[in-house]
Amino acid sequence: MTSTPAPGPSVTTGISVTPLAGIPLVKAGDDLVELLAAALAGNGITPVAGDVICLAQKIVSKAEGRLVALGDVTPSAEAIVLAEETLKDPRLVQLILDESTDVVRKKPGVLLVRHRLGIVGAQAGIDQSNIEHGPSGAPDDEQALLLPVDPDASAARLRAGLEARFGVRLGVIITDSNNRPWRLGSIGNAIGCSGIRVLDDRRGDVDMFGRELKVTLINRADALATMATLVMGETTEMTPAAVIHGLPPDDVDEPARLAIRPLEEDMFR
Amino acid sequence: MTSTPAPGPSVTTGISVTPLAGIPLVKAGDDLVELLAAALAGNGITPVAGDVICLAQKIVSKAEGRLVALGDVTPSAEAIVLAEETLKDPRLVQLILDESTDVVRKKPGVLLVRHRLGIVGAQAGIDQSNIEHGPSGAPDDEQALLLPVDPDASAARLRAGLEARFGVRLGVIITDSNNRPWRLGSIGNAIGCSGIRVLDDRRGDVDMFGRELKVTLINRADALATMATLVMGETTEMTPAAVIHGLPPDDVDEPARLAIRPLEEDMFR
């Protein structure tokens, strides 16, 4: 082994995750720190040091003005062909191509890409559910919501605002749902992080019998995002945020991009 | 849409996950219901209806006698070639081949297979960490631990035993760690389930604006397994079990095998 980073402290007394009900519909320019503070108060929660505030990507993207009107998009020839292959709206496909670096797999109904952030998933994370129609309200006035430009930076800004507000060290995770190649059903992914340990690296640790541990790198950020996503449910329930409490104190601050597997390790290209 | 199963009830007040410290080293033939009951009592926990008891695969496999001495394994010519390609012990590779139906990807240090249960992962889930050496104690007296023969059946037996003991309806999840192609760091998978809703199917539901939901199938079992795996940590910490509390009442009983993506949907074969 080369360097052996200290592993994160152990959880000994349990952790809890609480959905934050009562967050109103978010519009471009909304101050999420204000909305979260109001929701925390409304749910009787005062965050303490080490708590992790999780937000669904959707409200961060909306606040940052990442809604795009499909009517403003002119699909390229490439997007039109790909739209025919995947049975998708060519304007949506153009947005997906603009947001991504690679098409990973395609078939009718499926367009799996590598987002410019490195995240591999369907449609470059672009969602059309829980999106208002555009200003005209007409059925053809459709919009699509892109991921934040830099979710780690968004998480850092939100954390700074929340820490200033509450006067304690907090973590922030921006969550998204993602599918996996061999398992059904989505789980949560952390696409933006601040103030948390993303990867718990046990490489070099030995087990109870002195043998080197095999599973040595634990994705804490995705585990926390998955917990939060479970209690958020779909946003029909109007709970696009959650608070995780009870994690051991830890002063590590890692970005979510740390959890992207390097391209040279991708065995499926 | 065709049929629209009712989605699971929403979580509204938060859920908690508590590690169960104090479980001794498990040996073949041990009664896990007794060990869990003692650990629950030792941690001051009396399970209530709806609680989900999570166990690491390792202790279930050990109790079921799934330890194999590598000295008893004679590698085939196929295993010897594959061992050279992957830099692994040919006897271990033979066990992996015996437990699997397909090699999904291979390279030096990596052998990704489809386990006969359908689970795609490294080494068919066979682990050598936290495993005692064999009876002789000699360094070459190595052992490997296979997954339970039928983890869903194991979960159902454990659930029956725990429910008889505590007189309330419980869920049981047998967890394992798994890696993903495009993300670093392991998360938890549910490889055996009883008494829980594995997939929360929202297909046909509409969002707040009347549009059909895009992310419509949520893998609750893996989310719960991931929560439990996070607090269990590596088993150096001697906490190979955890209790999840606060899930909404639900009488669904689905097996973990429901979460295996059908072969015909596998875009990576």
Side-chain angles (χ1 to χ4, degrees), chain B residues 9-113:
Chain B
S10 302
V11 174
T12 52
T13 54
I15 58 183
S16 66
V17 54
T18 307
L20 279 183
I23 294 179
L25 283 180
V26 172
K27 306 279 183 208
D30 279 355
D31 183 340
L32 289 178
V33 171
E34 289 298 323
L35 294 181
L36 285 167
L40 285 161
N43 286 274
I45 298 170
T46 304
V48 300
D51 283 357
V52 177
I53 315 288
C54 300
L55 300 86
Q57 162 266 322
K58 200 163 292 190
I59 62 170
V60 178
S61 291
K62 283 184 178 176
E64 294 182 359
R66 298 284 285 160
L67 265 181
V68 177
L70 290 189
D72 293 345
V73 178
T74 305
S76 63
E78 180 189 8
I80 291 167
V81 170
L82 193 51
E84 281 168 10
E85 292 177 299
T86 58
L87 309 179
K88 291 180 182 288
D89 186 318
R91 303 167 303 171
L92 176 63
V93 171
Q94 184 63 53
L95 290 176
I96 295 168
L97 289 174
D98 291 346
E99 284 284 283
S100 61
T101 58
D102 275 300
V103 173
V104 174
R105 288 291 187 279
K106 60 186 175 184
K107 71 172 185 180
V110 175
L111 181 49
L112 191 69
V113 299

Side-chain angles (χ1 to χ4, degrees), chain B residues 14-233:
Chain B
I15 58 183
S16 66
V17 54
T18 307
L20 279 183
I23 294 179
L25 283 180
V26 172
K27 306 279 183 208
D30 279 355
D31 183 340
L32 289 178
V33 171
E34 289 298 323
L35 294 181
L36 285 167
L40 285 161
N43 286 274
I45 298 170
T46 304
V48 300
D51 283 357
V52 177
I53 315 288
C54 300
L55 300 86
Q57 162 266 322
K58 200 163 292 190
I59 62 170
V60 178
S61 291
K62 283 184 178 176
E64 294 182 359
R66 298 284 285 160
L67 265 181
V68 177
L70 290 189
D72 293 345
V73 178
T74 305
S76 63
E78 180 189 8
I80 291 167
V81 170
L82 193 51
E84 281 168 10
E85 292 177 299
T86 58
L87 309 179
K88 291 180 182 288
D89 186 318
R91 303 167 303 171
L92 176 63
V93 171
Q94 184 63 53
L95 290 176
I96 295 168
L97 289 174
D98 291 346
E99 284 284 283
S100 61
T101 58
D102 275 300
V103 173
V104 174
R105 288 291 187 279
K106 60 186 175 184
K107 71 172 185 180
V110 175
L111 181 49
L112 191 69
V113 299
R114 187 182 309 275
H115 189 278
R116 60 180 167 71
L117 294 168
I119 302 163
V120 174
Q123 301 209 156
I126 298 175
D127 198 359
Q128 290 191 280
S129 60
N130 288 302
I131 304 294
E132 305 84 344
H133 278 94
S136 79
D140 61 346
D141 189 10
E142 290 196 84
Q143 303 187 102
L145 188 63
L146 314 184
L147 296 190
V149 173
D150 182 347
D152 281 324
S154 303
R157 279 194 302 272
L158 288 163
R159 178 180 163 219
L162 289 164
E163 288 186 343
R165 182 97 178 199
F166 293 104
V168 292
R169 187 186 192 282
L170 298 170
V172 168
I173 300 179
I174 299 171
T175 71
D176 199 6
S177 291
N178 206 342
N179 286 299
R180 293 161 294 168
W182 301 292
R183 294 184 74 73
L184 295 173
S186 65
I187 58 166
N189 268 6
I191 68 165
C193 292
S194 183
I196 70 152
R197 183 189 295 268
V198 167
L199 295 176
D200 191 3
D201 192 341
R202 305 274 174 124
R203 279 174 287 200
D205 279 19
V206 292
D207 69 14
M208 294 187 283
F209 303 98
R211 182 194 297 270
E212 196 174 301
L213 287 176
K214 293 292 185 207
V215 174
T216 46
L217 193 63
I218 297 166
N219 193 319
R220 286 182 79 243
D222 282 351
L224 297 171
T226 293
M227 290 177 62
T229 303
L230 183 68
V231 301
M232 288 182 200

